[in-house]
Amino acid sequence: MRRCVSKMEFRFLVDYYEKIEGTTKRLEMTDYLVDLFKKTPINLLDKVVYLTSANLYPEFVGVELGMADKLALKAVSLATGLKIRELEKMYQERGDIGIVGEEAIEKKVQTSFFAKPLTVKEVYEKLDKLARASGPSSMDMKIRILSGLLSDATKKEARYLLRFVTGKLRLGIRAMTIIDALAIAYTGSKENRGLLERAYNIHPDLGLIARTVAEKGVKGLEEVRVEVGVPLMSMLCQRIPTIEEAFEKMGGKVLLEYKYDGERMQCHISHGKIKIFSRRLEDITNPYPDVVKHLSESVLAEEAILDGECVAFNQDTGEFLPFQELMHRRRKYDVEEAIKKYPAYLFLFDCLYVNGEDLTLKPLLYRKEKLKEIVKETDYIKLARYKVLSSPEEAHLFFDEAIESGCEGLIAKSIEENSIYRAGVRGWSWIKLKRTYQSKMIEPVDLVAVGAFAGRGRRAGTYGALLMAVYDQKRDVFKTICKLGSGFTDEDLNNLPNIFRQYVIDHRHPSVESKIDADIWFTPSVVLEVIGDEITLSPTHTCGLDLIKKETGLAIRFPRFTGRWRWDKSSQEATTEDEIIEMYNAQLKTVQA
Ligand code: ATP
């Protein structure tokens, strides 16, 4: 193994960047990288790898250079003596800050007498300082650091430095290309890329992988471990059109789990400290202080890495909200407000590491057991709902239940011996089963309130949701179709017990057919106008039961009260079961059309 410790001029590096930028062939790009990595002194290899992938650190560190163009132009002005206005005009004409820098160096009206060739080490260290500068004087500091570098830079170096600091390096070199090049440069063959890839997937730090393989060869990669605080690449799903095919692919016995529609969260817990990473390895701990708190109350292990999906919910009814609602968390200034308005559940579905034990190579059911052992479920932290099933028929019912609960479908997960956690891999061990159609419910419907559920939290003392039904005129009965908890004003809400007082009875009304047990029952009388996202199959509601599919009824997904009390309508004038079936069929037709 090479052990040389030496200098490398920055000029040498940017020559490669120019060549890479000039090629349109992927293989040629890899060849240039192989050549570059072979000629890079080992002590600089991690830095060269980060710089080449347009970063200064591993991606998950999340310190970004992203210097504003205006600031960068100020630094050019300081280094060259050219006026800011002139530089801005050049930028408008050229549209590439790198080219502006290059031309500015050419025209420069002041030369530095002490200019010396830039080295990779020096450039890296200064950029590191620039990236970390914070506080009130940080802008000036950034400008000074960059202008210092530009004073010593050649034209070509200025081009790449400026593109780099403004986040526009655009060499388009992805992690997998770097891994290919490292495999060839340091193990002699691309054959070994799988080993590098596995190391990268469980510890996505390209600089570390590069130095390890360069210093210790393929064997050294075994030392690259799962580490709390370093996000693993997420395991991903394949897609398959039917549940039957998923069973065939997975050996007849399958773990089926709700596919929640929210944001993926990889939670790292270490002795009371908690970090949350997104699917793209970003640190998203800050927008989720509530999840951090709930995790700290729920996870019993000292150290753990847990995989899950966070879903916003309606605090009054507990129902899931569409995934977009979580995005309110990403607006920096109103996190507190968003937490109040859109609290979130975290559904944990996998356990990758517990108290020093790497579980990624253990089968799924083992990991599920561990998860159960170390997580105490609370109001906010839950275990993802799953069933191990052997028949597609049962799976269909479970699928409908998932959709009706506000999920996107199911994920079929292999429980075979080799069902390890394949970090970063989109393989056949996890298969997503989503609906093949989705269409909008355009018309509101008029539904009868037949019961209610006691409220909790903000709704304690009033109703959390109403149980709504359609009318079956042939048999003169009311059949349930949804729980309704959204769309009410605060005033409406507080008033619900008053409005319904005169209709309350102490048992289910004989004309109501319901599989659900309400807390309070009404004589079916009051009609409300309701709009939803769509009509879906449902194992819990009695509307359309057995008419479209055995043991299955119909439900309204994401129902909301429009605000119109239909006092003008009697319960017999409510939307009928037949009308709902017609709407359901029309929905299917529009999709097929
Ligand atoms: P893709 O992953 O295909 O790029 P996507 O981000 O839309 O697309 P899907 O493939 O549709 O995601 O589904 C995978 C995602 O489903 C996971 O990344 C995770 O966020 C989410 N998910 C929800 N519930 C589960 C679960 N029980 N197990 C695993 N993933 C789940």
Side-chain angles (χ1 to χ4, degrees):
M1 294 291 128
R2 294 190 306 151
R3 291 242 160 254
C4 59
V5 174
S6 60
K7 276 192 180 171
M8 181 181 187
E9 286 188 8
F10 189 54
R11 178 191 315 240
F12 185 77
L13 185 59
V14 298
D15 278 346
Y16 275 95
Y17 289 174
E18 190 174 45
K19 286 189 217 164
I20 289 169
E21 203 181 16
T23 180
T24 50
K25 301 190 190 100
R26 155 102 207 231
L27 281 182
E28 210 167 86
M29 181 194 260
T30 312
D31 288 346
Y32 286 134
L33 285 174
V34 172
D35 206 33
L36 168 64
F37 294 158
K38 277 186 175 166
K39 289 181 178 147
T40 301
I42 288 186
N43 63 314
L44 292 174
L45 189 60
D46 48 357
K47 296 183 175 61
V48 165
V49 163
Y50 294 137
L51 290 171
T52 306
S53 52
N55 291 310
L56 282 174
Y57 323 99
E59 272 171 77
F60 59 84
V61 170
V63 178
E64 277 179 32
L65 263 172
M67 200 169 168
D69 295 349
K70 260 205 147 101
L71 282 193
L73 288 179
K74 274 192 185 157
V76 178
S77 167
L78 208 62
T80 60
L82 299 186
K83 295 241 161 33
I84 258 290
R85 213 166 306 136
E86 185 181 353
L87 291 169
E88 277 172 357
K89 188 158 167 270
M90 279 161 73
Y91 191 18
Q92 258 176 10
E93 285 164 11
R94 300 277 182 269
D96 176 343
I97 197 150
I99 302 294
V100 174
E102 196 167 354
E103 290 180 4
I105 298 283
E106 182 143 33
K107 288 188 185 170
K108 94 174 159 184
V109 289
Q110 67 194 31
T111 24
S112 158
F113 295 110
F114 307 106
K116 52 185 186 327
L118 288 171
T119 65
V120 169
K121 181 166 180 285
E122 179 190 3
V123 169
Y124 183 90
E125 282 169 0
K126 295 218 164 124
L127 292 177
D128 175 49
K129 220 168 150 192
L130 191 153
R132 291 179 195 274
S134 64
S137 56
S138 62
M139 294 298 168
D140 285 343
M141 192 162 151
K142 283 175 197 254
I143 294 171
R144 256 184 292 117
I145 294 172
L146 181 57
S147 84
L149 281 171
L150 290 171
S151 303
D152 289 337
T154 63
K155 287 188 331 186
K156 210 188 290 177
E157 286 171 332
R159 185 202 310 165
Y160 289 103
L161 270 175
L162 282 162
R163 286 185 187 162
F164 190 91
V165 294
T166 54
K168 302 186 181 82
L169 189 59
R170 286 190 303 237
L171 292 177
I173 300 173
R174 288 192 306 275
M176 288 308 141
T177 318
I178 289 187
I179 284 178
D180 278 353
L182 287 170
I184 300 168
Y186 287 104
T187 75
S189 142
K190 207 173 148 177
E191 304 278 282
N192 293 316
R193 80 183 300 278
L195 297 167
L196 277 90
E197 202 179 324
R198 156 86 189 153
Y200 175 75
N201 282 336
I202 60 167
H203 198 123
D205 178 345
L206 279 176
L208 175 96
I209 307 285
R211 272 189 84 149
T212 306
V213 74
E215 282 172 359
K216 301 178 183 163
V218 173
K219 244 347 268 108
L221 292 172
E222 288 167 18
E223 291 167 24
V224 178
R225 299 269 159 79
V226 174
E227 191 182 317
V228 184
V230 176
L232 291 84
M233 301 292 281
S234 289
M235 181 164 173
L236 300 170
C237 307
Q238 279 286 3
R239 186 191 279 267
I240 227 170
T242 67
I243 288 179
E244 285 70 14
E245 283 167 87
F247 270 80
E248 268 166 40
K249 268 242 172 315
M250 291 182 159
K253 196 166 176 193
V254 178
L255 184 147
L256 290 141
E257 190 160 66
Y258 273 18
K259 184 177 192 309
Y260 300 94
D261 189 13
E263 171 156 36
R264 182 107 177 227
M265 282 191 172
Q266 199 181 92
C267 311
H268 289 237
I269 294 115
S270 174
H271 308 282
K273 281 219 175 96
I274 295 178
K275 269 191 179 186
I276 304 175
F277 294 97
S278 75
R279 147 112 184 257
R280 301 178 57 203
L281 310 183
E282 300 157 282
D283 185 333
I284 49 166
T285 316
N286 284 339
Y288 291 100
D290 49 337
V291 178
V292 168
K293 177 170 164 280
H294 299 142
L295 275 170
S296 71
E297 289 159 0
S298 155
V299 178
L300 307 173
E302 279 296 309
E303 282 190 308
I305 303 178
L306 308 176
D307 205 351
E309 185 88 355
C310 182
V311 189
F313 69 92
N314 177 326
Q315 57 186 327
D316 298 319
T317 63
E319 290 162 312
F320 297 158
L321 294 174
F323 116 95
Q324 294 86 329
E325 305 294 8
L326 272 188
M327 293 302 117
H328 295 281
R329 303 287 189 116
R330 296 299 181 96
R331 283 194 228 123
K332 276 195 187 120
Y333 306 102
D334 43 21
V335 170
E336 283 302 316
E337 183 71 19
I339 293 172
K340 265 196 233 136
K341 256 179 132 172
Y342 309 99
Y345 293 124
L346 174 60
F347 290 93
L348 294 168
F349 52 75
D350 219 318
C351 179
L352 318 184
Y353 185 93
V354 176
N355 297 340
E357 190 189 359
D358 172 1
L359 302 181
T360 56
L361 295 174
K362 301 275 192 232
L364 177 61
L365 289 179
Y366 181 89
R367 303 200 304 275
K368 285 279 191 196
E369 271 312 303
K370 282 278 170 190
L371 185 64
K372 233 186 257 168
E373 264 172 42
I374 65 159
V375 174
K376 181 175 80 169
E377 287 193 84
T378 66
D379 284 348
Y380 298 93
I381 305 291
K382 316 234 171 234
L383 297 177
R385 176 161 162 73
Y386 71 86
K387 283 185 177 177
V388 176
L389 297 176
S390 318
S391 90
E393 291 73 39
E394 287 173 295
H396 277 286
L397 289 179
F398 194 45
F399 182 86
D400 296 339
E401 181 196 303
I403 296 289
E404 192 197 334
S405 317
C407 289
E408 270 189 300
L410 294 173
I411 300 198
K413 297 185 175 177
S414 163
I415 50 169
E416 293 175 340
E417 257 320 287
N418 62 355
S419 56
I420 59 171
Y421 187 90
R422 293 174 208 277
V425 175
R426 188 184 290 285
W428 291 105
S429 318
W430 285 11
I431 300 178
K432 57 182 165 188
L433 300 161
K434 294 209 225 179
R435 282 169 306 157
T436 46
Y437 71 89
Q438 183 151 25
S439 74
K440 284 276 158 229
M441 178 174 163
I442 35 174
E443 268 179 86
V445 286
D446 297 320
L447 304 178
V448 188
V450 295
F453 301 89
R456 48 178 199 159
R458 223 166 51 106
R459 288 197 184 182
T462 176
Y463 299 154
L466 299 173
L467 181 60
M468 306 303 292
V470 292
Y471 182 53
D472 170 358
Q473 75 276 38
K474 283 172 263 145
R475 293 184 33 239
D476 188 28
V477 291
F478 295 92
K479 298 179 167 177
T480 70
I481 187 162
C482 65
K483 284 188 192 176
L484 179 68
S486 298
F488 293 98
T489 61
D490 283 348
E491 198 187 335
D492 274 344
L493 269 183
N494 293 336
N495 242 336
L496 285 178
N498 274 340
I499 295 172
F500 283 96
R501 181 162 298 131
Q502 56 178 312
Y503 308 106
V504 173
I505 47 179
D506 64 2
H507 55 270
R508 180 173 47 79
H509 192 274
S511 69
V512 171
E513 293 187 352
S514 174
K515 289 203 232 172
I516 301 175
D517 217 5
D519 296 327
I520 303 137
W521 290 107
F522 307 137
T523 311
S525 314
V526 181
V527 179
L528 287 84
E529 189 181 76
V530 175
I531 182 84
D533 273 12
E534 62 181 312
I535 298 168
T536 57
L537 292 171
S538 155
T540 37
H541 288 288
T542 49
C543 170
L545 187 62
D546 291 328
L547 296 179
I548 288 178
K549 195 171 149 188
K550 213 164 149 276
E551 288 173 54
T552 301
L554 292 172
I556 294 176
R557 192 166 136 92
F558 294 136
R560 297 173 296 279
F561 177 41
T562 62
R564 285 184 73 193
W565 294 89
R566 300 302 308 258
W567 299 114
D568 54 324
K569 281 198 168 183
S570 73
S571 52
Q572 274 98 335
E573 287 171 291
T575 302
T576 62
E577 180 183 46
D578 286 348
E579 284 173 303
I580 296 285
I581 292 174
E582 225 170 82
M583 284 170 80
Y584 177 74
N585 287 333
Q587 243 181 221
L588 292 185
K589 273 194 213 118
T590 35
V591 175
Q592 282 154 9

